[in-house]
Amino acid sequence: MASGNTSTAAPARFDTETGEPESGQIEAVLSTPTLGQVLIAVEELWPASLAEEWDTVGPVVGRPEREVKRIMFAVDPTLEVVADAVSRGTDLLITHHPLLLRPVNSVAATGFKGEAVHLLIESGCALVTAHTNADSAIGGVSDVLADIFGLTQTQPLAPSKDGLPEEGIGRVGMLPEPLQLHEFASRVFSAMPSVAGGVRVAGDRAGIVRKVAVCGGAGDSLFDAVRAAEADVYVTADLRHHPASEAREAALNGKPYLIDVSHFASEWLWLPTAADALKNVLHDLGHDVEVGVSAINTDPWDFILTP
C-alpha cells in the first residue's frame, strides 16, 4: 500500500515530443478515505433502514475524521478477531454480528466486551456493524447463499417494509434442474466452511427438490413464509428442536425438507462478496483502501460426537 494520502495504479507515460501524457495513460488519483467517507459507502450497500427494529447497526467506535487504509470483515467481534485485526494494522473492522446488541451500563475492561471496546479505541481501530441490513440488502447474506447454491428467479421470503421489492429477509428461488435431497445437501455441505457441527438434514434422501428457500443465520421464524412459498427444502441455521419438529409435523408430503447449517458458516460466505463490493464502491468514489476478510473461525463448537 502506498504511503501518504494519495496513490496511483500506475505512472503515466509521456510523449517524448509533446510532453503530454499518452492517450489512455491518465490514471485517476485515489485518496485515502476517512471513516465518515467509508460509512457513506457502507450505507449505500447496506442501508440502515433495512435493519430490523430490534437490531443495532452502524458505527460502534471510531472517529469519523480518522483515515481508513485497511478494512477487515468478520462475522463476530470476538476478542480474538479484534486482537487479530489490530495486530494487522486494521483501521476499520466491519462485523456482521453486533458487539453491543443490548444496552449496557459499562464498558469497563473487566469483561470481554469492554476489553474489546478498549482494545479497539486504544489501537485506533473503528468498529462498524452490518447485520440484518446486510441480510436484507441486494447482494446480502441470503443473496450470496442463493447464488452459491445455483438458484434463479429469487425473491425475498419476507420482503422489507422500507426497501425495494428485491430486498428482505431470506430468499426463495429455483434450481436449474431438479436434484435429489441428498445431492442438494451435498452441494450445501461443499459450499460451507469447515465447522464441527457439519450439516444436518431432515427428509427423504431420494426426495426431489427444485424450489429452495434459504436464510443466512437463524431462520426458524420464517417457517410460515417458507410454507407459503411452497419450497421443497429450507436451508437455514440454528434450527431448534421444537420449531423443527413442528415444521416436520406440518409438512405436506414431507416438504419442506430441512437443512440445518452452522450460523457462522452460513454468514461467513457473505464476507468475501461484501469485501469486494465495498472496495469497488470506495474505488468508484475515488478512494484507495485495502479490504480483507478475517481467517478466524468463530463458530463456537470445537468437535462433535456421533453414533
Side-chain angles (χ1 to χ4, degrees), residues 198-212:
V199 171
R200 300 187 296 178
V201 185
D204 179 2
R205 289 178 59 89
I208 301 301
V209 299
R210 179 72 187 275
K211 195 171 192 179
V212 179

Side-chain angles (χ1 to χ4, degrees), residues 200-202 215 217-223 226 233-245 247-248 256-263:
R200 300 187 296 178
V201 185
C215 179
D220 60 17
S221 64
L222 295 178
F223 274 128
V226 172
V233 61
Y234 182 34
V235 183
T236 190
D238 291 351
L239 285 179
R240 296 170 294 164
H241 174 86
H242 293 296
S245 178
R248 296 198 69 179
Y257 304 133
L258 306 177
I259 299 181
D260 184 31
V261 300
S262 156
H263 192 128

Side-chain angles (χ1 to χ4, degrees), residues 194 230 239:
S194 178
E230 299 182 341
L239 285 179

Side-chain angles (χ1 to χ4, degrees), residues 163-182:
L164 300 171
E166 300 87 355
E167 294 175 321
I169 299 294
R171 295 292 185 269
V172 59
M174 305 296 293
L175 290 169
E177 58 184 27
L179 294 174
Q180 291 186 344
L181 177 60
H182 76 92

